[in-house]
Amino acid sequence: MADLKALAEQIVGLTLLEAQELKTILKDEYGIEPAAGGAVMMAGPAGGGEAAAEEDKTEFDVILKSAGDKKINVIKEVRGITGLGLKEAKELVEAGGKAVKEGVSKDEAEEIKKKLEEAGAEIELK
């Protein structure tokens, strides 16, 4: 049990780059792919096209079209929503047209949209 706790602490302590590398290793070598909510999914057979189409209807992407006049407030909200660092959040906000959050439920997407619009951003749900 102590080994599992140590492993969990190591995973939680990963940087974004290390987490991305871990994701790539798990996907390429073991066929394990993280799901949108942070859970881990096994890669299934290629014939599941219909099931994937049904899932897409329940998942939404929150796209930041523009930061508006209150860019600093929008950056703060993006940091709170995504957990990104200041530099990464600023780059995402300044780039415009980028996804803030992908594959979220309709309720969560609406909540994120509301927060960002209150901060002054222009948001689109896809």
Side-chain angles (χ1 to χ4, degrees):
M1 209 41 129
D3 291 337
L4 291 177
K5 183 171 177 138
L7 177 61
E9 288 175 4
Q10 287 177 329
I11 290 173
V12 170
L14 293 176
T15 65
L16 289 175
L17 290 175
E18 291 170 334
Q20 181 65 29
E21 188 176 333
L22 176 61
K23 175 188 162 215
T24 303
I25 291 168
L26 290 173
K27 182 178 178 185
D28 294 346
E29 293 184 21
Y30 301 100
I32 300 171
E33 191 167 346
V40 177
M41 279 178 40
M42 294 297 291
E50 272 184 51
E54 286 182 27
E55 278 184 38
D56 289 343
K57 295 177 187 176
T58 60
E59 294 182 351
F60 294 86
D61 295 343
V62 181
I63 310 296
L64 177 69
K65 291 176 78 175
S66 73
D69 296 336
K70 302 176 183 176
K71 186 165 73 170
I72 293 173
N73 292 338
V74 175
I75 292 171
K76 287 179 183 178
E77 284 298 328
V78 167
R79 286 188 70 199
I81 292 166
T82 62
L84 292 174
L86 180 61
K87 181 181 176 189
E88 292 86 0
K90 182 178 182 266
E91 289 172 354
L92 188 144
V93 169
E94 288 178 344
K98 300 259 183 171
V100 174
K101 206 73 153 150
E102 295 178 328
V104 295
S105 68
K106 183 173 184 169
D107 292 338
E108 186 178 355
E110 290 292 336
E111 183 179 325
I112 292 170
K113 179 180 178 185
K114 181 181 175 191
K115 285 181 183 179
L116 289 170
E117 285 179 342
E118 287 174 358
E122 186 179 336
I123 303 298
E124 177 184 357
L125 296 180
K126 287 189 178 182

